[in-house]
């Protein structure tokens, strides 16, 4: 197995090359004297980040996994590792394996949920303590089912096998459903989630389920950080090249550091010691990018906005009333 490429980036002074493999991975004759980050180095060598990933960079037929490890003295250890290109057959094999794992895990969770729901149906008298216990089981089963779906979908996306099916449709019902689904959680938290009015939107060619999941991921992320009496606004803005969907939280904005990490799922997971929200946003990014769109975050003095764009594939025909939809 090939060894990794390694270089130490001290707080002061020039970089220290720790492995000759790094220059070979990058196709460079010498290490640049002034590099501040792994991204700077990879871009200098002509690499570009692979869509849907945080740590894989590509140039032509070469793919590298890249990472940075902060050290106690403020220095950083940068490493690279070559990725063998997956053949079509091996990719199909891995996707099938993920399918089996998903079936087994989700099947067991679905059984737990079904029995808990049956016991809570009211046909069987329950003591208050048993009632609360079953309600907890049901909530956690739903949460685990959602998380496992996100995990397996994201894993398939990294293999280029995320299932999605475009259909020409209006966006308004998807946005309304995304807001309505989380009203109970918002009211419990004392937060208002509002769907803003907007100009008539054109029909778009999208996988409605994927885009709704992405919007809901943004809403859940904003809800997790909202304080009582804050507002979360969901709006869509037609643009010359497509549509921009915004989920804005009016309140204390994210710090510059936190804003930069919103879609960095691995770093956030280790930092926050939980994976649910980082993975959900990571999948949202993958779902948007598979449509050819992009995601981002903006802050100002009064709040934080997560946004996604859906470029291209926009019909000039405005959406007819919902009752006229086929």
């Amino acid at each position: 197995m090939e060894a990794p490429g390694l270089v130490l980036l001290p707080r002061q002074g020039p970089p220290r090359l720790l492995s000759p493999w790094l220059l070979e991975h990058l196709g460079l004759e010498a290490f640049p004297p002034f590099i501040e980050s792994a991204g700077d180095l990879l871009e200098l060598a002509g690499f570009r980040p692979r869509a849907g990933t945080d740590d894989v960079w590509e140039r032509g037929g070469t793919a590298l996994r890249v990472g940075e490890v902060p050290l106690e003295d403020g220095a950083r250890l940068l490493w690279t590792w070559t990725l063998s290109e997956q053949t079509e057959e091996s990719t199909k094999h891995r996707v099938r394996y993920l399918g089996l794992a998903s079936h087994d895990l989700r099947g067991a969770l679905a059984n737990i949920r079904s029995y808990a729901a049956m016991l809570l149906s009211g046909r069987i008298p329950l003591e208050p303590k048993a009632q609360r216990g079953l309600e907890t089981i049901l909530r956690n089963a739903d949460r685990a089912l959602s998380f496992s779906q996100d995990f397996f979908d994201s894993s398939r996306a990294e293999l280029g096998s995320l299932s999605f099916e475009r259909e020409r449709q209006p966006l308004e019902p998807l946005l309304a459903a995304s807001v309505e689904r989380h009203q109970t959680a918002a009211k419990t938290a004392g937060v208002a989630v509002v769907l803003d009015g907007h100009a008539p939107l054109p029909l778009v060619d999208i996988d409605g389920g994927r885009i709704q999941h992405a919007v809901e991921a943004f809403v859940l992320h904003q809800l997790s950080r909202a304080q009582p009496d804050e507002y979360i606004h969901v709006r869509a803005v037609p643009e010359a090249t497509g549509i921009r969907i915004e989920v804005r939280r009016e309140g204390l904005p994210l710090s510059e550091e936190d804003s930069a990490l919103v879609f960095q799922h691995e770093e956030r997971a280790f930092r926050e010691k939980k994976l649910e929200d980082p993975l959900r946003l990571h999948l949202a990014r993958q779902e948007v990018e598979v449509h050819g769109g992009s995601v981002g975050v903006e802050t100002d003095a009064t709040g934080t906005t997560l946004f996604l764009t859906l470029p291209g594939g926009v019909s000039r025909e405005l959406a007819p009333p919902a009752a006229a939809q086929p």
Side-chain angles (χ1 to χ4, degrees):
M1 180 181 294
E2 185 175 308
L6 297 170
V7 64
L8 180 68
L9 302 180
R11 290 183 62 185
Q12 296 181 342
R16 292 171 53 192
L17 194 62
L18 304 179
S19 165
W21 288 104
L22 187 135
L23 294 179
E24 183 172 330
H25 293 170
L26 299 176
L28 299 175
E29 295 184 359
F31 195 87
F34 301 105
I35 288 294
E36 295 186 357
S37 69
D40 291 343
L41 176 61
L42 272 292
E43 289 181 358
L44 180 65
F47 285 80
R48 293 292 179 268
R50 175 181 288 179
T53 67
D54 298 325
D55 59 352
V56 178
W57 292 66
E58 298 175 313
R59 183 188 63 197
T62 302
L64 296 177
R65 190 174 298 280
V66 182
E68 290 187 48
V69 180
L71 304 180
E72 291 184 358
D73 62 355
R76 288 167 294 150
L77 182 66
L78 187 155
W79 55 267
T80 60
W81 205 300
T82 57
L83 296 178
S84 58
E85 290 300 317
Q86 296 290 327
T87 64
E88 183 177 352
E89 188 61 32
S90 65
T91 298
K92 288 181 179 178
H93 179 80
R94 292 181 66 188
V95 171
R96 184 166 176 260
Y97 182 85
L98 286 171
L100 293 172
S102 175
H103 177 271
D104 289 351
L105 177 59
R106 290 176 57 79
L109 290 170
N111 280 336
I112 293 171
R113 190 199 186 285
S114 295
Y115 281 112
M118 181 184 69
L119 292 171
L120 286 168
S121 64
R123 289 176 291 181
I124 302 173
L126 296 171
E127 295 180 356
K129 187 174 182 179
Q131 175 91 13
R132 291 193 299 271
L134 286 168
E135 289 171 351
T136 300
I137 290 173
L138 190 63
R139 284 196 305 271
N140 284 329
D142 284 337
R143 184 174 174 179
L145 281 166
S146 177
F147 175 81
S148 64
Q149 184 68 58
D150 288 351
F151 177 82
F152 287 111
D153 279 352
S154 180
S155 298
R156 292 186 183 98
E158 291 179 358
L159 294 172
S161 298
L162 180 66
S163 62
F164 78 107
E165 185 174 347
R166 294 179 187 269
E167 180 182 356
R168 189 162 166 267
Q169 59 189 287
L171 269 174
E172 286 89 345
L174 302 181
L175 299 180
S178 299
V179 169
E180 181 60 31
R181 187 173 178 184
H182 301 289
Q183 287 296 345
T184 300
K187 290 177 181 177
T188 300
V191 177
V193 180
V194 179
L195 178 61
D196 290 350
H198 47 69
L201 299 175
L203 299 177
V204 285
D205 293 316
I206 57 171
D207 184 311
R210 293 293 178 196
I211 297 305
Q212 182 173 334
H213 175 275
V215 175
E216 289 189 26
F218 288 6
V219 171
L220 286 168
H221 178 80
Q222 299 286 40
L223 263 176
S224 70
R225 283 153 177 75
Q227 299 298 314
D229 298 325
E230 288 187 351
Y231 278 78
I232 296 173
H233 295 269
V234 179
R235 63 174 66 99
V237 182
E239 298 182 330
T241 57
I243 292 178
R244 171 178 163 123
I245 300 174
E246 301 177 347
V247 179
R248 176 176 176 80
R249 177 174 57 83
E250 300 286 353
L252 183 67
L254 288 178
S255 67
E256 184 176 342
E257 180 182 9
D258 287 340
S259 296
L261 293 176
V262 166
F263 293 101
Q264 304 299 317
H265 69 297
E266 290 188 358
E267 186 165 350
R268 275 190 60 206
F270 289 123
R271 186 185 187 191
E272 300 170 15
K273 295 182 172 57
K274 54 186 177 182
L275 181 56
E276 189 173 17
D277 185 69
L279 177 65
R280 188 162 49 226
L281 283 184
H282 178 58
L283 176 57
R285 175 181 177 179
Q286 293 170 313
E287 289 171 318
V288 172
E289 288 180 344
V290 81
H291 285 81
S294 61
V295 300
V297 56
E298 297 172 345
T299 61
D300 55 43
T302 61
T304 301
T305 300
L306 301 185
F307 68 88
L308 66 88
T309 62
L310 296 172
V314 179
S315 169
R316 293 184 181 179
E317 177 188 346
L318 295 182
Q325 295 297 318

